[in-house]
Amino acid sequence: MEKVLIVGGGAAGMMASVFAAERGYEVHVFEKNEKLGKKVYITGKGRCNVTNACEDVEELIHAVVSNPKFLYSAFYGFTNQQVMGFFEESGVPLKVERGNRVFPVSDHSSDVIRGLENRMKKAGVKVHLRTEVSKICTENGCICGIELSDGKKISADRVLIATGGLSYPSTGSTGDGYRFARETGHSLVEPKPSLVPLMAKEAYISEMQGLSLRNITLSVFQGKKCIYQEFGEMMFTHAGVTGPLVLTASAYIGKKLESCELMAFIDLKPALSKEQLDQRILREFEAGKNKQFKNVIGTLYPTSMRSIIIELSGINPEKPVHDITKEERERILNLTKAFPFTLTGMGEFKEAIITRGGVSVKEIDPSTMESKKVKGLYFIGEVLDLDAVTGGFNLQIAWSTAWLAAQSV
């Protein structure tokens, strides 16, 4: 019986072990943590966004930011619908929420891990916890096994690297897979944090810390060119901005932020045209025409934003509303449709949901996940230079690449 060794007991490693063992291989999973799936446990704020229920595989591919074409075989081989079927069959009932995000009905990520562990046990996978792999052993361009941190060598016919990236290092994602890749002659695209909060320059951003905005449009510009625009929700932090819109933006604008600052604008009322918004402002002013500006503006903005809007508008807060000029009203209008701030950089790996960069996919066969440099060596999941937007797409990458490698061994 051929022996398959899997380094890393996260999402990709667990899934690959199930399919390889169910095909009759002797499968061993080596995990340096005290339990499997530590990162899976914290994904989706502890609920685990298993995949995305979009109807078309092309939508999955469209959600991938880095090297989407590389994933055709993986995504079409093991689709999001098949992933959902896998977990349902494994005793994990699922539900679909806004944005086609798929979660366990229980809202507990531990149920996803338990479902995988049950399938692993049933298939006969041998799990080695608190066991750190120190080296991948090769001979004449072929895999021959692994070496553990205690010096013990274990022979193998196939080795799968499923060690993840560098995001959430507290879960054990410390870049071991990148070292294994380099030591076996592979190239790396420099790993960077992605799906991460963004930092802002203006002091007034931190003054709104904790404020969440829903149903707004965020636009990011490089000079006069709009490089990202999306509708949704976001939140202000002590150092900048976060939330679904911002995390997704980070995947698209991360590389540009490394070299320059970018201007961002929030349309606080995207459902209204400028003309419609102007009419609403006029109605508010007419209703409170004898009041001071600071006492009327409250109906238009969240509490923690009001003083900032007043400051940026340059209008005296004590000014009676009936004295506000058309030019001043135009300033309010522009601030509402394009509230400005400057993006200066990205958050750190400890805040990042995933890693951008990793093992170059040019050196991996997209139809098998096998290395083009070392026969019998496979790379799956986040260790590869693959990343997608939020919504369950990154876990889909893990499941699909794991399935494809398991079919190919």
Side-chain angles (χ1 to χ4, degrees), residues 2 4 104 112 115 119 163 193 275 299 309 349-350 375:
E2 288 199 1
V4 177
V112 174
R119 287 287 288 267
T163 50
E275 293 73 20
T299 57
I309 293 288
F349 273 114
K350 64 182 180 182
K375 189 171 177 57

Side-chain angles (χ1 to χ4, degrees), residues 254-316:
K255 289 181 182 177
K256 293 196 167 56
L257 263 182
E258 291 171 20
S259 57
C260 65
E261 294 181 347
L262 301 171
M263 278 305 301
F265 300 92
I266 303 169
D267 185 344
L268 296 164
K269 306 288 182 185
L272 301 177
S273 67
K274 269 197 168 186
E275 293 73 20
Q276 290 170 323
L277 179 59
D278 193 30
Q279 288 302 311
R280 181 179 168 185
I281 292 171
L282 281 170
R283 286 197 301 272
E284 298 290 345
F285 282 8
E286 181 62 28
K289 59 185 177 184
N290 295 318
K291 295 180 180 179
Q292 294 176 324
F293 175 50
K294 66 181 181 182
N295 294 325
V296 174
I297 202 170
T299 57
L300 294 168
Y301 307 99
T303 305
S304 57
M305 196 176 236
R306 291 167 196 166
S307 61
I308 293 160
I309 293 288
I310 291 170
E311 181 186 341
L312 294 179
S313 73
I315 302 170
N316 184 344

Side-chain angles (χ1 to χ4, degrees), residues 28 32 46 48 52 63 69 80 86 104 123 157 164 171 182 208 223 228 241 286 293 311 314 318 373 398 400 405:
H28 296 257
K32 66 182 181 181
C48 190
N52 191 281
K69 291 180 181 178
N80 52 340
F86 172 91
D157 300 287
T171 64
R182 284 196 197 95
M208 295 183 286
Y228 174 80
V241 287
E286 181 62 28
F293 175 50
E311 181 186 341
E318 314 289 331
K373 291 178 169 284
S400 291

